[in-house]
Amino acid sequence: MSPSPPPPSRPPVVVASASSGSSAPPGSPGSSGSSGSSSSSGSSGGDGESGASETAGVPLPPTAPASSARFPDAPPGPLPPETTPSETTARLRPVPAAAPARRRVGAVDLTPQPGTEGRPFVRFAPPEHYDDRTTRLRPVSDRLKLRAVAAVACLVLGIGLLGGATAGALLTGDDGASSARGSYRAAAELWHGIPVNRLFPRTLKGDGAGPGGADRTWTRIAVAPSSGCAHAFDPLLYKALRPAGCLRLLRATYTDATQSDVTTVGLMFTKADASAMRALHDRFARQGLAARRDLLPRAYAAPGTDAAHFGDAQRASWVVDVLTDVPVVAYAVTGFADGRTVTDPEPAADAMKPGSTTAPAQAGLGHTARGVADLIEQGLRKAVKQPTERPS
């Protein structure tokens, strides 16, 4: 067993000296001085206890000394006042309320905002093209199926049509070559089935056919009877055209608006087929036969007209075209209406060049030959495409 703690010591009693005749509160300067004299006077007795018996003591209230290391057995001082326990846990942040549900598309929140009570509410109507309804899209797969079916049907139909056309051509023998031969035969017979006014109109209007793009007009003054080709060309030109065969020759003569020049235009219908006409065209282009001065067409000098003196010596410029879409050789030759002689004739292609200083070029005869020939060829092609008209 542990030894019991020693009993607490009694607190010392402070007494005042009787001889002083006064008392002082404890701890004051006066009491300490009296205590000092009492102690000195009581020292003769030998101890402080005997001195205390000689004085009359005044009891003081007890005080509890503070506990320390020197007095471990001293009672503890007064306890601190009780305090109310405080909350040490930090306050949590307030949890926000759940977000309001989303409004449907097109809905309008009519709840007034704070501070706007009593104000009129204005709502603008949606535009006419506005539509807040959601349309269900059609499945893409269905459209793809329909398109695929349509494409397959078109493919099958196209193959069937091509196969039928091929079979019909094989059975009837009607192909592109036979069609071309038929059109060539129809054009070859055109010379005696079309009115002369369609082949050689009374007036030719050449828009931009003159020098510098000027408009020109030519008037027909004579038409030659249909004939052969023996005397219509220079001998070398007739020799070059002989492989195509001359079926018929039609000619007419025109004069310009000032009656200063005359032009003979001709159409030689041939007996050749398409391949022979292409071969003849390639030969003329390769050898330059249309530009040779010894291969000129001859003029038709109609008596009693401005072309009465239009002979071989008056030829100034010319054009020779071997056509490949119809079996025809078209040409035009021009000269001066006053009958002057031209010693150096010039092909129309050279007389139309800018800067040319020859007499045919300065007079615009190259443009005249080219313009008249082009207009007659255009009329011939239109006559071939349209049904022929029998003269009444």
Side-chain angles (χ1 to χ4, degrees):
M1 294 178 61
S2 60
S4 59
S9 60
R10 296 179 63 183
V13 179
V14 180
V15 294
S17 176
S19 59
S20 60
S22 64
S23 62
S28 61
S31 77
S32 60
S34 303
S35 297
S37 59
S38 299
S39 297
S40 58
S41 62
S43 63
S44 60
D47 54 8
E49 189 177 352
S50 61
S53 61
E54 297 178 352
T55 62
V58 179
L60 298 175
T63 58
S67 62
S68 62
R70 293 182 61 188
F71 304 99
D73 55 349
L79 297 176
E82 296 183 359
T83 57
T84 303
S86 61
E87 183 181 359
T88 59
T89 304
R91 185 178 298 275
L92 301 178
R93 297 180 180 176
V95 178
R102 295 184 61 183
R103 297 191 303 272
R104 66 179 180 84
V105 177
V108 179
D109 187 8
L110 302 179
T111 303
Q113 298 294 329
T116 60
E117 292 79 0
R119 297 183 181 179
F121 180 79
V122 180
R123 178 182 179 182
F124 294 97
E128 295 181 359
H129 64 273
Y130 175 78
D131 188 3
D132 57 354
R133 295 172 297 178
T134 301
T135 303
R136 184 180 298 275
L137 299 178
R138 290 179 293 179
V140 179
S141 58
D142 295 343
R143 289 195 296 176
L144 292 179
K145 290 180 181 179
L146 293 176
R147 290 181 180 178
V149 171
V152 172
C154 293
L155 179 62
V156 173
L157 181 61
I159 293 176
L161 293 176
L162 291 176
T166 304
L170 292 177
L171 293 176
T172 60
D174 184 12
D175 54 2
S178 61
S179 178
R181 287 193 298 268
S183 64
Y184 258 72
R185 286 194 299 268
E189 300 295 331
L190 189 65
W191 63 273
H192 60 75
I194 187 172
V196 66
N197 289 335
R198 290 190 59 185
L199 287 178
F200 302 114
R202 295 183 181 274
T203 302
L204 298 176
K205 294 182 178 181
D207 296 336
D215 298 336
R216 303 293 296 271
T217 302
W218 299 278
T219 304
R220 191 185 69 191
I221 57 176
V223 176
S226 61
S227 62
C229 303
H231 304 287
F233 308 100
D234 285 348
L236 291 179
L237 180 58
Y238 179 70
K239 183 179 179 181
L241 296 175
R242 185 178 297 174
C246 178
L247 184 63
R248 209 66 181 170
L249 178 64
L250 303 179
R251 295 174 295 173
T253 300
Y254 288 83
T255 184
D256 67 337
T258 61
Q259 298 181 350
S260 59
D261 59 60
V262 289
T263 304
T264 296
V265 59
L267 297 174
M268 187 188 86
F269 290 84
T270 68
K271 303 176 183 179
D273 57 7
S275 60
M277 292 300 295
R278 284 194 296 268
L280 182 63
H281 176 272
D282 294 343
R283 180 189 175 193
F284 265 71
R286 183 175 61 256
Q287 298 180 5
L289 301 181
R292 287 179 54 173
R293 290 182 174 86
D294 55 348
L295 280 75
L296 271 69
R298 290 176 174 172
Y300 172 61
T305 64
D306 293 336
H309 305 287
F310 189 18
D312 291 348
Q314 284 74 36
R315 294 176 296 182
S317 186
W318 75 97
V319 171
V320 177
D321 294 331
V322 179
L323 308 182
T324 57
D325 51 347
V326 289
V328 173
V329 176
Y331 68 89
V333 57
T334 184
F336 295 101
D338 57 2
R340 75 182 69 176
T341 302
V342 180
T343 59
D344 190 12
E346 188 176 21
D350 295 339
M352 294 173 64
K353 292 180 179 179
S356 180
T357 58
T358 62
Q362 293 294 324
L365 298 182
H367 291 81
T368 298
R370 181 75 271 173
V372 172
D374 288 344
L375 292 175
I376 296 301
E377 292 173 12
Q378 293 173 10
L380 173 65
R381 290 187 174 94
K382 291 180 180 179
V384 171
K385 294 179 181 179
Q386 298 174 359
T388 59
E389 298 180 1
R390 297 287 180 179
S392 56

